Structure formats: structure tokens, C-alpha cells
Amino acid sequence: MSKVIYQHRINNEGLPSSEGRIFVNPKTARITDLSGVRLLRCAVDTVRQLYRGKIKPAVLELFEVSGMVSLGNYAFHAGRIGRDSGYQFRLQNADLGIILLIKNFNVKETDHGPHLKIEVSPHTIENYTPEHLQTLLDSLAALVLDDFTQNQCAIHIALDVQGWTPPADTVARMQCRSKRVRDISGINSFDFAATASVYGNGETYMFGSAGGVQLAIYDKTKQARATDKLDFWRSLWSQAYIDFDTPMYDPEQSVWRIELRFHHSVVQQFAEGSINLDTGEFIGTRSFAEFAPHLDGLWRYGFDSFKLLEQKGVYDAAWSLFAADPHVQTGVDSLIDETEYKRYYKTASGFSGKNVELFMGNMISLLAREKVGAKKAFQSLQEWECWPVIKEHFENKGLNEKDVYNWIRDKLTERTVRWGVAV
């Protein structure tokens, strides 16, 4: 991608200021006044902590009959879940704000493996420091797994703003890796691997894939009302003040959310590639608590991945503001100034790619046997930790992601027509 520059900032006296709300396009001298834009809150919206270990037999017995069960000192509702989640069982406690996804579909229940993912709701994240939240999650993992180890986390960071709405041509002006667009069928359909999507009359925009870095821009007031969470969010928005007596939040105006979602494989790449500038050591984090001081760095990276432009080579004024001013509220000191953030990519160099080709051939046979369609197969492949090296192998052959999907589709059709699904 070409180099993109931020707009200059000045104050009301026309002097350069890092806190000024008047933005000047350095190429055209166009002035944009954003003094009416209010940044209500920037914080972690979702945490998904993954664990490896061996499932305790007593835990699997909880799912012999669906309903209320006890685990440790907590009550959960137990049930089975669909294969799309990657896990077989679920324990949910909405009051605690915790969902435990248990038993990886791709690993035997008797084997040590990635058998647990714990999803944490916004209200629970709000009520705990990262350290105390991690203690809670690790204690739950100890109830489910023997010899558990932290296996990285996925994180969503959200900025809630008033006094700004996304421009109608957001998709055309957004610079990112892909511009394929499709509609979202409903206001709650936010978690699929679309590359660029628009819902309704500009009510929701999504860019990127769920298996990497994803940007969502949507009317949070409308979404919160649809999910009966508006009172909760209003209580948080009302905590922001312009000055001692003037609240930022206006209940008569919609709140728009800019949300960056980082898959656990991306967080792992940052853990392996980011360096402490004082020690020269990689940060090497595996848990949410360890990574919490680095969330400002993650936020800035997101605005390098998704660039809303005013014109070629120049950030939109609001995007200049959103990238620079918010600091992610975690309750811990940020390490952004002490860290060089970089993703580490494992590459396919050093071997011929035969391993990838053997895997893909065997995968086609298994998918045909299980009658899995190309669309679902490709989505699962993108969410797998090894997707980057598979993608690179195909790129080295001059093929893009669409070509990979077409290859899977054609091979599945050929496999089914020529040999059927029997093995």
C-alpha cells in the first residue's frame, strides 16, 4: 500500500497543537472542524482466552443431560453447540458474563490439546482489572483441564463516539487489502468472515476477516437497544465528562462504534514479533493480563490496517483523530512508548510446499466424506492457525484467496463426482 499521512492539527488560535480539533489537509488545505466530536469511551469489548490441557472426565459428565450444572462454586447452563464454533460443549453463566467452550472438535477428548476457550462479556471486563480477570479465567480453566496452559487470547477493542457518523462512501474511501462487498442480513450478524460488508442504509460496515484483523463500524445505540443492553451502555457513556459539570453523552444522539477485532493468531504474531526497546526481548505474551499494557499499540496498528481516506494518500480528518487520541482503558500503564510493535509471520520458505499440498489433498478427501461445502471449508481454513503459511504457499504460485476458494470448490466437486463420499 502507498504511504498515507495524517492531517495536521491546530487549535482555535490557528497554532499547531496535538490536542487541536481543527484538522488541515496537507495537500489541499481543506479545513475540518471536529470540535463537536465526543470520544465517550475506548475500552476492551471482548476477551477470548484460549487454553490447552486434558479435559477432566467429570467435566464431560456435566453434558450427559442439558440443563443447570455446578462447576466449582459457580452455576452454569450446560449444552451442546454447533460445529462451526470449533467446540462441542458450552457452559454459560450470563450473570457472571462467562461462556466456556469445551472439547475441541478436532482433538480427541482423551488427548491433551486446545480444549478450552473462555469468552468474557463487556460487563465482566468492566468490573475486573486485567490481573484479577486473568485470575478468574485461570481458576475456571483449572476446573476444566488438567495441566492447563494459556494458549493466547483474542481481543476486541471498541471506541464509542458521538457527533460523528461514517460517510456514505465509507467503503469506497476505506483502504485495506480487499474491497469485496456483500450484505449483512441482520443487525446482530456481526461475526462472519466477510472482507467488506455493508448492512442496511449505512448502519453497519465491516472490513477484514474474522480469522485476522477485522474492523466494524456500526450504530451502537441501535445494536444495544436490539439486544436489550442499552441501559448498561448508557451507564458507561454517562461517566465521560467534557468538564466537571458537563457530561459528554447526549442520550438524544446515536453513539457510533469503531471496533477492531484481533484474532488470537494475530495476537500471537504480535507476541512473537514485538520487542521491548529497553531489553531487546520479544514480549512473548500468552494471556490477556500480559497483553493488556500493549493494547494502545494494537489500536494504532488497526488504523494502519484500515485507512479511511479523505483523498489518495491522506487520512480522513476523523480517522486522524480516532487513531491518535484514544487510549484503551485497562487500568494498567500502557507500554506503547517502550515497545516496537511488529507481527511475526512464519513463512513457507525453507521447504518446497509439498507439506501444504499433501495436507490440502487429504483435507479435500475428509471434507467430501463429511459433506462439508466449499464456503464453510474455506472459512474454517482461514480461521486456522496455519492459514498464513497455506496462503503464502498459494501466493508464491500466483494465486490469491479467491483462487484458493475456487480450488477447494472445484476439488470438492471433482472428488464427489469421481469417487463419491465413501472412504
Side-chain angles (χ1 to χ4, degrees):
M1 295 182 187
S2 59
K3 177 69 174 177
V4 179
I5 57 177
Y6 289 102
Q7 298 203 22
H8 300 320
R9 302 180 68 166
I10 60 177
N11 58 24
N12 291 333
E13 286 72 42
L15 299 175
S17 170
S18 61
E19 298 180 354
R21 286 300 189 90
I22 299 174
F23 289 77
V24 182
N25 185 316
K27 291 187 177 182
T28 65
R30 180 178 185 268
I31 295 175
T32 304
D33 186 353
L34 296 182
S35 56
V37 175
R38 303 182 300 284
L39 309 183
L40 302 179
R41 185 173 185 271
C42 184
V44 178
D45 181 73
T46 301
V47 172
R48 295 188 176 111
Q49 179 69 57
L50 282 68
Y51 295 91
R52 296 182 64 90
K54 187 175 181 180
I55 307 174
K56 295 182 177 182
V59 172
L60 294 174
E61 293 173 2
L62 297 175
F63 303 100
E64 292 178 355
V65 178
S66 296
M68 297 302 299
V69 299
S70 295
L71 182 67
N73 296 321
Y74 303 101
F76 287 93
H77 186 272
R80 292 177 177 267
I81 50 178
R83 198 178 189 92
D84 288 348
S85 69
Y87 295 83
Q88 192 168 348
F89 304 109
R90 177 180 64 190
L91 293 176
Q92 181 172 3
N93 183 321
D95 184 57
L96 184 61
I98 294 288
I99 299 176
L100 283 72
L101 305 181
I102 301 170
K103 171 56 183 71
N104 191 297
F105 261 112
N106 300 314
V107 182
K108 292 182 179 179
E109 62 187 44
T110 54
D111 291 347
H112 187 284
H115 282 304
L116 176 64
K117 177 166 67 175
I118 304 180
E119 299 188 357
V120 189
S121 72
H123 82 262
T124 301
I125 297 170
E126 178 68 19
N127 291 331
Y128 286 82
T129 66
E131 181 181 0
H132 289 154
L133 178 59
Q134 195 66 54
T135 298
L136 171 63
L137 301 183
D138 289 351
S139 68
L140 292 170
L143 295 173
V144 175
L145 302 175
D146 285 323
D147 301 321
F148 80 88
T149 56
Q150 297 158 346
N151 193 34
Q152 207 42 266
C153 61
I155 299 171
H156 297 183
I157 308 172
L159 171 66
D160 294 333
V161 303
Q162 281 189 315
W164 174 86
T165 57
D169 57 349
T170 291
V171 171
R173 290 168 53 186
M174 185 68 71
Q175 179 178 299
C176 54
R177 291 189 178 274
S178 178
K179 286 294 178 66
R180 285 180 289 141
V181 181
R182 68 179 182 183
D183 290 335
I184 299 176
S185 59
I187 189 67
N188 296 320
S189 301
F190 288 144
D191 288 316
F192 57 85
T195 309
S197 309
V198 183
Y199 167 76
N201 186 24
E203 293 171 335
T204 299
Y205 300 88
M206 291 187 69
F207 303 88
S209 68
V213 185
Q214 192 172 54
L215 167 69
I217 306 172
Y218 57 99
D219 186 333
K220 183 60 182 178
T221 302
K222 187 169 185 176
Q223 190 267 349
R225 184 177 288 113
T227 56
D228 198 26
K229 297 291 194 305
L230 187 56
D231 287 343
F232 168 73
W233 287 110
R234 279 179 168 169
S235 69
L236 295 183
W237 296 329
S238 298
Q239 296 175 21
Y241 279 78
I242 297 173
D243 53 42
F244 188 77
D245 296 317
T246 310
M248 283 192 185
Y249 175 60
D250 180 356
E252 300 302 317
Q253 281 190 348
S254 291
V255 174
W256 281 86
R257 169 163 290 189
I258 299 95
E259 183 173 331
L260 288 166
R261 303 168 180 179
F262 297 88
H263 190 261
H264 66 85
S265 62
V266 175
V267 177
Q268 179 63 25
Q269 289 171 340
F270 276 107
E272 295 178 350
S274 302
I275 298 175
N276 182 294
L277 294 174
D278 292 329
T279 67
E281 297 178 346
F282 295 104
I283 62 174
T285 57
R286 303 291 293 179
S287 70
F288 169 66
E290 292 174 330
F291 202 81
H294 300 287
L295 295 180
D296 281 343
L298 215 60
W299 179 257
R300 301 285 173 84
Y301 175 85
F303 282 80
D304 281 336
S305 299
F306 303 97
K307 302 177 175 72
L308 185 64
L309 306 182
E310 184 169 295
Q311 69 178 88
K312 184 177 181 180
V314 181
Y315 276 95
D316 177 84
W319 224 240
S320 298
L321 174 68
F322 299 157
D325 279 27
H327 293 281
V328 185
Q329 301 170 21
T330 60
V332 298
D333 293 334
S334 173
L335 293 178
I336 186 172
D337 294 328
E338 302 171 28
T339 311
E340 179 184 352
Y341 293 100
K342 186 177 180 180
R343 291 170 69 177
Y344 169 73
Y345 294 90
K346 292 183 175 68
T347 69
S349 59
F351 71 97
S352 66
K354 184 177 180 181
N355 292 1
V356 173
E357 294 176 1
L358 287 173
F359 164 76
M360 295 294 285
N362 289 330
M363 182 189 74
I364 292 298
S365 296
L366 290 171
L367 291 170
R369 183 180 186 275
E370 297 297 320
K371 299 182 180 179
V372 178
K375 181 179 177 181
K376 182 177 178 181
F378 183 61
Q379 179 176 336
S380 298
L381 188 64
Q382 287 182 301
E383 295 175 354
W384 190 37
E385 287 85 346
C386 296
W387 166 243
V389 74
I390 295 172
K391 179 182 175 183
E392 182 184 13
H393 170 71
F394 280 92
E395 287 176 346
N396 289 339
K397 299 172 69 174
L399 302 174
N400 57 29
E401 291 189 29
K402 184 176 181 180
D403 295 324
V404 179
Y405 169 79
N406 290 338
W407 183 90
I408 292 173
R409 180 198 61 200
D410 295 344
K411 289 296 182 181
L412 278 174
T413 301
E414 179 184 348
R415 175 66 173 78
T416 302
V417 171
R418 292 185 63 186
W419 306 104
V421 297
V423 176

